[in-house]
Amino acid sequence: MSVIGLNHYNLRADRATLDTLRDFYVNVVGLELGYRPPFQSAGYWLYAGAQAILHLSQARPGEVRPSHVVNTFDHMAFSCENAADMERRLTDAQVRYSRRYVPLTRQLQLFLADPAGNGVELNFAEPDRDFR
């Protein structure tokens, strides 16, 4: 048995933070709010096409990460299209970001943080355009 791909990423937070994250990932990043099974806790599933790639789950009241858990999370990355449109969306939403062009792969990367401070990387593989 082997891994064949990434299914989804899950972020847990209080309800108000979940709503803020939902709005950010839908209105700024461009994911779509979609079907989520009726779990006992509140939350959202955000889709890229037919795949629910980001799950937002409500933390239980008073839930904290155990002190022995080390958080090594740096960022999540999304494959994207239309870099100019995304940069316009980020600017309109007043989201600070940085750009990096990777010459070897001819890829533009945008780096930013979501409203909860999680790192986000947006990748644009558009070899016919010069992003430098």
Side-chain angles (χ1 to χ4, degrees):
M1 178 160 91
S2 62
V3 174
I4 60 171
L6 179 64
N7 187 275
H8 71 273
Y9 199 84
N10 185 73
L11 300 175
R12 290 180 68 78
D14 61 82
R15 184 59 186 263
T17 302
L18 285 187
D19 291 345
T20 300
L21 290 169
R22 176 204 58 210
D23 293 346
F24 175 81
Y25 283 102
V26 170
N27 299 329
V28 178
V29 175
L31 297 179
E32 295 182 8
L33 184 61
Y35 173 76
R36 178 181 184 264
F39 297 114
Q40 291 180 349
S41 65
Y44 306 102
W45 281 10
L46 305 180
Y47 287 71
Q51 179 70 38
I53 63 170
L54 179 57
H55 295 182
L56 303 175
S57 303
Q58 184 174 2
R60 292 181 298 278
E63 180 179 329
V64 293
R65 201 174 272 299
S67 61
H68 68 280
V69 174
V70 177
N71 184 355
T72 60
F73 177 77
D74 183 69
H75 69 274
M76 68 183 97
F78 297 100
S79 297
C80 302
E81 297 177 325
N82 197 338
D85 180 60
M86 180 59 74
E87 288 193 271
R88 210 171 14 260
R89 292 169 77 155
L90 294 172
T91 299
D92 290 349
Q94 298 181 351
V95 174
R96 294 180 54 178
Y97 66 96
S98 63
R99 310 168 95 241
R100 181 180 305 149
Y101 180 72
V102 184
L104 188 60
T105 61
R106 299 176 67 183
Q107 182 177 35
L108 174 67
Q109 299 173 318
L110 303 180
F111 294 93
L112 55 127
D114 73 15
N118 298 303
V120 178
E121 176 182 331
L122 306 176
N123 290 294
F124 300 87
E126 299 181 25
D128 296 335
R129 298 181 59 191
D130 183 10
F131 293 110
R132 286 169 262 159

